[in-house]
Amino acid sequence: MSRWKTVGLNLLGAAAILFALTYLPPDNSLAEVQKSGVLRVCVPDTLPAASVADPGHPGYDIELLELVARDLGVRLAINRNSAIGADFNPRNWRLTRAQCQIIAGGVVRNDSTRGFLELLPTGLQTGWAMAGAVDRMSQGGGVVSVFPGPTALDRLALSRFLRSKNFRILSVSSVSELERNLIDGTSDIIVSDRQTLSALNLPEVQIEWVSEQELGVFDLSFGLWKGDSTLFRAVRTSTHNLVQQGVAGAIATRYNVTVNAMISP
C-alpha cells in the first residue's frame, strides 16, 4: 500500500510541474527580431578573420551573419565591444539582451561559455598556434615571442607548457611586434591564437598548433542567450545551410581561413 502511495505522490508531483509549465511565457525571440526588422550582433573591435573593422571586408562571422539576417528577413546591426574575448569568463564581458541577440567574433566553445550561452559553431577553430621554426617546439630551448591575442584562451596553461620546454618567453604587446620578431630573428618561434597568426602577412611561414593534445583546440561559435529557443533554431538552420551549400567556405577562403564542415551547426 505504501508503495502505491509513493507512486501516486510522484505522479501528482509530475502533473503539478507540467501544469506549472503552461504558465511560463512563450519564447518570442524570433518573432521579436522579425517584428523589429533588426538582428543585433555584438562583436569585438577586431578579431581577424572573424571580425574586422573594415566595412568593405568586415570578417567571416559578420559576412555569415549578414546572410543569416537576410534569410530571416531582417537587417544586421553591428555593436562593437572590446571586452568580448578579452576575459576567459564571458560574464565579465557585461553584455545584455538590449545590446545584442547574438555574440560573435571570439566566442570560444568551452565549459565557461557553455554555462552562459547557447553555442552554434561557426566552422572556424582556434587555439594556441605557432609559426617559424615549428620543429624547434619538440626539441625545446630557444626564444619564443607570445602575443596573447584577443581570444580567451588559457594563458597560464601556455606559459607552463613553454617553460616545461625550456623556452625563453618574450611577451609582446602587438601583432606588428610579433611579426617583426620573427622576421628579424629576435625569436625562433612566435605564438598567438590561430586566427591572429593566420591573418599575418607570412605566406611562406608554416603555422601549426602548439600542442593540440595538451592545450586543446576549440571551436569558435555564435553565442545566443539561453531561452531564446526559436531564434536559436532559426539561426542554426540558416547557418547549417550556408555551410553545407559551400557559401561559408567561399567566405572563409577570402579571409585565408578554413571551415571545418564536421563541426558546423
Side-chain angles (χ1 to χ4, degrees):
M1 187 64 182
S2 174
R3 187 182 68 169
W4 289 110
K5 183 178 179 180
T6 301
V7 172
L9 288 173
N10 288 338
L11 290 173
L12 185 62
I17 292 173
L18 291 174
F19 181 74
L21 289 175
T22 63
Y23 285 90
L24 290 176
D27 170 33
N28 295 321
S29 53
L30 176 60
E32 289 174 357
V33 167
Q34 292 176 324
K35 182 180 179 181
S36 68
V38 180
L39 178 64
R40 294 188 298 277
V41 177
C42 287
V43 297
D45 289 334
T46 181
L47 177 68
S51 170
V52 182
D54 180 352
H57 201 65
Y60 172 84
D61 280 17
I62 294 177
E63 288 201 34
L64 200 63
L65 286 171
E66 284 177 340
L67 296 175
V68 170
R70 188 183 305 171
D71 196 30
L72 300 180
V74 300
R75 68 177 175 86
L76 189 72
I78 301 298
N79 181 359
R80 296 192 181 275
N81 187 319
S82 60
I84 297 175
D87 189 283
F88 196 74
N89 185 355
R91 295 181 189 279
N92 293 336
W93 302 350
R94 300 185 182 284
L95 301 175
T96 67
R97 289 174 183 269
Q99 295 173 311
C100 46
Q101 288 105 4
I102 299 178
I103 305 163
V107 179
V108 177
R109 191 184 189 193
N110 56 26
D111 290 341
S112 180
T113 51
R114 195 177 290 113
F116 183 60
L117 300 166
E118 296 287 355
L119 301 173
L120 286 175
T122 63
L124 299 185
Q125 291 184 302
T126 194
W128 293 116
M130 58 181 167
V134 295
D135 56 342
R136 190 74 173 269
M137 187 60 75
S138 58
Q139 302 166 8
V143 181
V144 56
S145 287
V146 177
F147 176 64
T151 307
L153 298 174
D154 190 339
R155 301 174 186 186
L156 292 178
L158 174 67
S159 177
R160 287 194 297 268
F161 178 82
L162 294 177
R163 293 183 191 285
S164 74
K165 297 284 186 179
N166 297 318
F167 280 102
R168 183 162 69 88
I169 301 173
L170 296 179
S171 296
V172 303
S173 57
S174 68
V175 173
S176 59
E177 185 179 2
L178 185 73
E179 189 172 5
R180 187 170 59 250
N181 280 5
L182 180 64
I183 293 173
D184 68 13
T186 300
S187 299
D188 303 294
I189 302 172
I190 58 173
V191 170
S192 188
D193 67 281
R194 179 78 183 218
Q195 302 305 321
T196 295
L197 291 187
S198 297
L200 296 180
N201 185 28
L202 299 169
E204 304 299 325
V205 176
Q206 182 181 1
I207 299 175
E208 298 284 352
W209 300 115
V210 174
S211 174
E212 183 173 350
Q213 181 178 8
E214 296 185 64
L215 299 176
V217 173
F218 305 93
D219 301 333
L220 285 173
S221 303
F222 297 141
L224 284 81
W225 302 109
K226 286 186 176 296
D228 288 356
S229 302
T230 53
L231 180 62
F232 179 84
R233 288 195 294 269
V235 174
R236 180 177 59 187
T237 299
S238 184
T239 308
H240 175 79
N241 291 340
L242 291 169
V243 172
Q244 296 304 311
Q245 293 165 4
V247 176
I251 297 172
T253 300
R254 293 203 295 274
Y255 291 95
N256 194 32
V257 292
T258 302
V259 168
N260 185 347
M262 299 298 292
I263 60 168
S264 67

